[in-house]
Amino acid sequence: MSSPAVHAEGLGKRYRIGRLRGRHATLRETVSHRLSYVTRAIGSRLTRDGRPPPADDLFWALKDVSLDIPRGEVFGIIGANGAGKSTLLKILSRVTKPTTGYATIRGRVGSLLEVGTGFHPELTGRDNIYLNGAILGMKRSEIRRNFDQIVEFAEVAKFIDTPVKRYSSGMYLRLAFSVAAHLEPDLLLVDEVLAVGDAAFQRKCLGKMEQVAQQERTVLFVSHNMAALSNLCRTACRLDQGRLVDLGVAQAVIRRYLLEGRMQEEQDLRRHPGRKAGHRALLHRVRLLENGATSAVFRTNGPFELEVDCVAPTDELKSVSLGFLIRDSLGASVFASTMDQYDALAPNRMGHLRIRASIATLYLSPGAYTASLYLGNGLYDLDVIENAIGFDVLWEPTQAIPLPPGEGWGPVVVPVCWDWNEGQAPSPG
Ligand SMILES: Nc1ncnc2c1ncn2[C@@H]1O[C@H](COP(=O)(O)OP(=O)(O)OP(=O)(O)O)[C@@H](O)[C@H]1O
Ligand SMILES: [Mg+2]
């Protein structure tokens, strides 16, 4: 495998709380900084002894982040405000130095960190294009070759010889993005560009980033716009208070972020809307477990358990067999199992029966799935609940399979052992 575009190891950045930003802070940054400054001021006023916080009040904006991003990947970075996303990009673009760890990057880096960093306000649009190209290490002829495209994409032809300090924020942004994307960087870092600019330009940026990625270049994209992120990025990570807390297929990382704390790991089935008409409620509860702990989020090639409580006042649970069917998010069947198939009929019991199905290795691709439940006695169904419970499967890189499956690879991931030797080509005939 070729070496990754980005290799980060143990990256950490420590800041002093309350330190003011440099004069290049953007409006949005300044505002959010002011806000956090205010909340900190309130917080410090509330300290018990009433004294100001100690001078060495340091905190980690980024802590122990290790990452490998392959070449040609469009990689998303998500996380709440202050999670450390911009800090990570700033370290990768060498705007700031890490306190711990290091990052190696292959090739030229084009970055659009904040609107127009790297632009000189007194210079014209034209001069700034050449300046940025030179910073990227490009020859004048290379820049000239891309010049018209940059200007055209940015839609600033009329103002190309005007100092950029006279540009509207939209023009500024368009030119900054256009420069970053057209100067043939091997790695394009884009922070929140879509927060500004109109819908048409946002679409244009997304299209351009896709194009850049198709040329085997790598894109790192920070955004709070989950729809844009999931359309554009194949893989993503999530930062939380400076730490890397999730990594994998972008959709799964996003879904988990959005659903966190709201997912169902247990369903009361007694009045479930998915119950097939005409059945008495014998299925009472279903729980999903991972290594004995309830969960709604599982891992590709990790363990999965489904536990169902059945309750019947009479001998209706005599020799019952439970079955389940797993469907993908579009409703297509992926796999099923029943107790009869394993000759595992439950004993004659009245009252309460708890049945557990354990899967040692869940060969499911990352995505959203449901489990439908079927309780029968070998002759007919006693109780049926369609899509009784939903769960998510996420990707987690393992030594055996370091990268997630691609788009359109189907619903299962089966571990494969790859082997080769340098033999001779088979001779014809
Ligand atoms: N120069 C600095 N000095 C002190 N603290 C800083 C500095 N830069 C960032 N921070 C703090 O570090 C933390 C991480 O900031 P960062 O800008 O990386 O977050 P983010 O994930 O990009 O957030 P957002 O989504 O709001 O852009 C925040 O608490 C922020 O206030
Ligand atoms: Mg940020």
Side-chain angles (χ1 to χ4, degrees):
M1 204 199 297
S2 65
S3 57
V6 176
H7 171 74
E9 214 165 299
L11 283 185
K13 180 74 189 179
R14 200 173 49 190
Y15 283 122
R16 194 171 294 278
I17 290 179
R19 212 189 82 187
L20 284 169
R21 303 271 174 91
R23 61 197 169 84
H24 290 300
T26 61
L27 178 64
R28 201 181 73 83
E29 249 201 332
T30 310
V31 170
S32 65
H33 182 79
R34 290 237 176 91
L35 287 178
S36 53
Y37 189 79
V38 169
T39 43
R40 277 179 205 133
I42 293 168
S44 66
R45 247 192 281 144
L46 294 179
T47 52
R48 253 176 293 146
D49 53 7
R51 274 185 296 162
D56 58 350
D57 208 352
L58 300 167
F59 83 107
W60 291 93
L62 203 65
K63 184 91 177 120
D64 203 19
V65 170
S66 297
L67 261 182
D68 270 330
I69 301 169
R71 228 149 65 93
E73 193 73 46
V74 185
F75 187 86
I77 301 172
I78 63 173
N81 294 120
K85 306 178 296 293
S86 300
T87 304
L88 177 60
L89 289 200
K90 281 177 190 161
I91 291 174
L92 295 180
S93 63
R94 315 277 184 230
V95 168
T96 184
K97 277 205 180 100
T99 313
T100 64
Y102 68 93
T104 41
I105 287 162
R106 284 188 47 197
R108 287 205 286 241
V109 182
S111 58
L112 186 57
L113 295 187
E114 313 287 350
V115 177
T117 30
F119 270 22
H120 198 296
E122 303 292 336
L123 297 180
T124 64
R126 180 187 305 276
D127 293 341
N128 269 301
I129 293 174
Y130 279 97
L131 178 70
N132 271 265
I135 291 170
L136 269 177
M138 298 183 72
K139 293 201 198 90
R140 258 192 108 73
S141 59
E142 281 181 279
I143 303 169
R144 204 172 305 128
R145 202 177 61 229
N146 289 294
F147 188 88
D148 290 344
Q149 272 182 26
I150 293 173
V151 176
E152 193 195 326
F153 185 94
E155 300 165 22
V156 292
K158 269 203 275 182
F159 307 95
I160 198 62
D161 292 308
T162 306
V164 296
K165 67 177 181 192
R166 302 240 176 83
Y167 281 23
S168 72
S169 59
M171 286 161 62
Y172 208 86
L173 168 78
R174 293 203 301 269
L175 185 62
F177 180 85
S178 190
V179 167
H182 284 88
L183 289 181
E184 304 180 355
D186 298 297
L187 173 66
L188 179 60
L189 304 173
V190 182
D191 194 350
E192 283 294 10
V193 62
L194 300 176
V196 210
D198 57 26
F201 185 67
Q202 289 183 7
R203 268 197 302 279
K204 227 165 109 172
C205 291
L206 288 173
K208 185 68 201 168
M209 284 195 267
E210 249 164 49
Q211 241 181 48
V212 170
Q214 275 160 17
Q215 297 158 354
E216 270 285 287
R217 295 154 201 274
T218 313
V219 182
L220 261 64
F221 179 35
V222 168
S223 181
H224 289 281
N225 182 336
M226 295 299 149
L229 245 148
S230 75
N231 283 336
L232 189 72
C233 303
R234 199 177 73 88
T235 49
C237 74
R238 168 152 67 108
L239 293 175
D240 185 19
Q241 297 182 21
R243 289 176 185 276
L244 186 72
V245 295
D246 201 356
L247 176 72
V249 168
Q251 278 90 346
V253 173
I254 291 165
R255 197 178 316 111
R256 180 172 181 174
Y257 175 53
L258 295 177
L259 293 182
E260 200 176 57
R262 290 195 283 123
M263 297 206 39
Q264 296 284 354
E265 46 203 33
E266 178 175 327
Q267 277 283 346
D268 187 333
L269 299 175
R270 284 170 296 181
R271 271 180 288 278
H272 196 289
R275 174 165 279 109
K276 207 166 148 190
H279 288 290
R280 285 215 301 131
L282 302 180
L283 296 163
H284 269 216
R285 187 182 74 157
V286 58
R287 299 201 299 161
L288 302 177
L289 306 103
E290 186 179 40
N291 294 323
T294 56
S295 177
V297 180
F298 297 85
R299 283 167 296 128
T300 298
N301 287 320
F304 175 91
E305 288 146 52
L306 179 133
E307 184 186 87
V308 177
D309 285 303
C310 310
V311 177
T314 58
D315 65 351
E316 271 172 296
L317 296 181
K318 204 157 90 182
S319 305
V320 287
S321 166
L322 180 74
F324 65 85
L325 168 67
I326 305 296
R327 289 197 176 90
D328 69 14
S329 58
L330 300 173
S333 303
V334 181
F335 75 95
S337 186
T338 66
M339 289 167 75
D340 329 81
Q341 193 193 355
Y342 289 78
D343 247 341
L345 294 186
N348 287 341
R349 281 262 319 260
M350 271 211 270
H352 182 190
L353 192 62
R354 175 170 288 177
I355 303 170
R356 190 181 276 199
S358 300
I359 295 173
T361 310
L362 188 67
Y363 295 126
L364 286 179
S365 286
Y369 297 89
T370 65
S372 298
L373 301 174
Y374 306 83
L375 188 71
N377 61 6
L379 292 173
Y380 48 85
D381 289 333
L382 297 168
D383 194 5
V384 173
I385 302 182
E386 294 291 348
N387 305 319
I389 192 164
F391 61 94
D392 256 330
V393 176
L394 301 179
W395 181 264
E396 214 169 77
T398 59
Q399 214 158 16
I401 315 181
L403 291 181
E407 190 67 27
W409 287 18
V412 297
V413 176
V414 178
V416 173
C417 186
W418 289 93
D419 210 350
W420 65 90
N421 55 46
E422 289 175 20
Q424 283 171 330
S427 52

